Amino acid sequence: MNNLPTPDMRLRRLRRTAGIRRMLTSPMPGPEKFIWPVFVVEGTGIRQPIEAMPGQFRYSVDTLLEAVEEVRDMGISGLMIFGVVGDNHKSEDASYASQPESIVPVAVKAIKAKFPDLVIFTDICVCEYTSHGHCGILSNGEVVNDPSLELLAKMSVCHAEAGADGVAPSAMMDGQVAAIRYALDDIGLQDTILMSYSTKFASAMYGPFREAAGSAPSSGDRSGYQADYRNPSAALRESELDETEGADIQMVKPALFYLDIIAEIKRQSSLPLASYNVSGEYSMLIASAERGWGDLKSLVRESVFALNRAGTDIFISYWANQYNKFLKD
C-alpha cells in the first residue's frame, strides 16, 4: 500500500479550518439585498397566520406597521405589498384595484409616513380584485390583452401617487411595461421604478400564495399568459422585451427551479436582476425540515446562496422577516 500515488493537487489545504474557509468564500448576501413580500387586508388588529406558509401572516395596516419595524431594524431594505380584499371589492373589471381608498395605497401611505426610507414596491396584478381570479379582463373565457393594459396602468398610477417607490407588474400581459411606463411618465411620475416580473412562469410552486392572497382563478389556469417552463427561449424573450419597453429591474419567478434562466438573463442584460423565492419554495423547505429531512437553517442558507451564485442582485423572499434567525452570519 506504500506504493499508492500521492495527489498532485491538495485542494483540501484551502478548506482545512473555518478561518481559511471564511477567507476564501463569498459572504451571505446582506439584509439590504432583501425585499419582504407582505399581504395586507382591510380592518384593524389583524395578524392572521397563513397556514401553508409558517412564519407569514395577513396583516391589517396597524399590525403591519409593527411587523415592518422589526424587519427595518434587521436592515431589510424594502417590501413588496400584495392587497387581499373581500368579495365585496371584487368585480369583473377589477375597478377597486385603482381606487385611492383601496387597501394597498392606504398601506403605502401609512408605511411611508412612519418609515420614509424603506423602499416600497407594490404588486401590479388584478387577480386579487377580479371576481373570476384572472389577471386581466375576461371575455368568452379568455383573458384579453390590450383592454387589460389600461387596468394595469391605472393601478400603477394609483400606487405611485400614494408614494410607492416602484411598481412591479406581474400579469404577464404583452406590452404591460410600455403601457405602465407611458402612464407614469405622462403625469410626471417618471421617477417611479418599474420592476418587471419579466420572466414569470406558469408554475406549480404558487400553491401557498393562492391561499395567502385568495387569488386562484375560478376556472381554467394562467398558462395562456404566464411563461411555459418547457420553452426557455420564449421566457428569455420576455425578459429582453421588457428591457426594451423600459423596465428598470427585471425579475425571475419562481427562483430555485430556474437558476439557469437567472444566470442567462444576468449574462445578457446589465439591468439589476431580482429573483422571487416563491411561496412553494419557502414552504417545501419548512416541510422537509419538519419531516426531519434536513436542518432548516442549512437549507435556507444553501438555497439563498444558490440564487446569489446564479446572479441574483435583489432577493424577494419570505425569509426576509426571519433574516437574523436563518441568514445572519
Side-chain angles (χ1 to χ4, degrees):
M1 298 296 288
N2 292 332
N3 294 325
L4 290 176
T6 58
D8 292 328
M9 299 290 290
R10 293 189 180 273
L11 298 181
R12 288 183 58 190
R13 290 190 191 112
L14 300 181
R15 301 195 293 267
R16 188 174 57 85
T17 69
I20 294 171
R21 293 193 295 273
R22 283 196 303 270
M23 183 184 298
L24 297 175
T25 56
S26 300
M28 183 65 65
E32 71 279 359
K33 300 293 187 182
F34 281 76
I35 292 174
W36 181 36
V38 295
F39 302 94
V40 61
V41 299
E42 295 166 314
T44 58
I46 298 171
R47 186 177 181 270
Q48 181 182 29
I50 300 169
E51 185 176 350
M53 299 172 66
Q56 305 302 316
F57 302 83
R58 298 182 193 87
Y59 297 96
S60 54
V61 172
D62 57 327
T63 60
L64 178 58
L65 291 175
E66 297 170 4
V68 169
E69 185 167 13
E70 292 180 14
V71 300
R72 188 276 312 268
D73 291 346
M74 293 181 201
I76 300 300
S77 287
L79 307 177
M80 177 79 78
I81 301 177
F82 294 84
V84 182
V85 301
D87 290 343
N88 58 315
H89 288 312
K90 297 185 179 187
S91 62
E92 289 288 322
D93 63 358
S95 58
Y96 188 63
S98 56
Q99 298 301 312
E101 70 273 12
S102 62
I103 189 59
V104 172
V106 169
V108 169
K109 289 179 181 178
I111 295 167
K112 274 296 184 181
K114 188 170 183 180
F115 308 104
D117 294 333
L118 269 179
V119 182
I120 306 300
F121 287 94
T122 63
D123 180 74
I124 301 299
C125 189
V126 296
C127 59
E128 293 97 339
Y129 302 89
T130 54
S131 51
H132 46 72
H134 279 285
C135 302
I137 296 290
L138 204 62
S139 178
N140 297 320
E142 298 288 336
V143 174
V144 288
N145 193 91
D146 295 4
S148 299
L149 298 180
E150 185 175 355
L151 293 182
L152 301 173
K154 287 181 177 179
M155 188 177 182
S156 298
V157 167
C158 175
H159 293 183
E161 288 181 329
D165 296 287
V167 293
S170 63
M172 291 295 285
M173 296 295 114
D174 291 338
Q176 64 182 12
V177 171
I180 291 169
R181 185 76 271 167
Y182 177 86
L184 292 169
D185 291 355
D186 190 48
I187 61 168
L189 293 171
Q190 63 272 3
D191 290 335
T192 302
I193 298 168
L194 211 162
M195 177 195 285
S196 171
Y197 287 65
S198 52
T199 307
K200 179 181 179 181
F201 290 90
S203 172
M205 300 303 293
Y206 303 145
F209 179 94
R210 301 281 185 255
E211 177 195 322
S215 62
S218 59
S219 62
D221 57 32
R222 295 174 176 140
S223 57
Y225 41 99
Q226 293 179 353
D228 193 322
Y229 64 82
R230 300 167 299 181
N231 190 345
S233 296
L236 292 170
R237 286 184 64 199
E238 295 277 3
S239 178
E240 294 170 3
L241 183 59
D242 281 7
E243 182 169 1
T244 64
E245 290 185 8
D248 300 296
I249 302 171
Q250 298 192 87
M251 185 205 298
V252 176
K253 179 182 181 181
L256 291 176
F257 285 5
Y258 297 95
L259 298 179
D260 58 328
I261 302 296
I262 294 170
E264 181 59 24
I265 292 175
K266 187 64 177 177
R267 187 194 66 78
Q268 68 184 21
S269 174
S270 60
L271 291 183
L273 179 59
S275 296
Y276 197 143
N277 195 189
V278 300
S279 59
E281 296 167 334
Y282 172 84
S283 297
M284 74 178 181
L285 295 190
I286 295 173
S288 292
E290 287 178 345
R291 294 292 295 272
W293 294 341
D295 172 72
L296 184 56
K297 183 173 183 177
S298 298
L299 290 167
V300 173
R301 292 175 66 85
E302 188 173 348
S303 67
V304 167
F305 210 87
L307 300 178
N308 181 70
R309 192 172 58 244
T312 298
D313 298 302
I314 301 167
F315 300 80
I316 304 170
S317 175
Y318 299 102
W319 300 115
N321 69 323
Q322 302 158 83
Y323 185 91
N324 285 358
K325 180 178 180 180
F326 293 113
L327 296 169
K328 186 175 181 179
D329 284 328

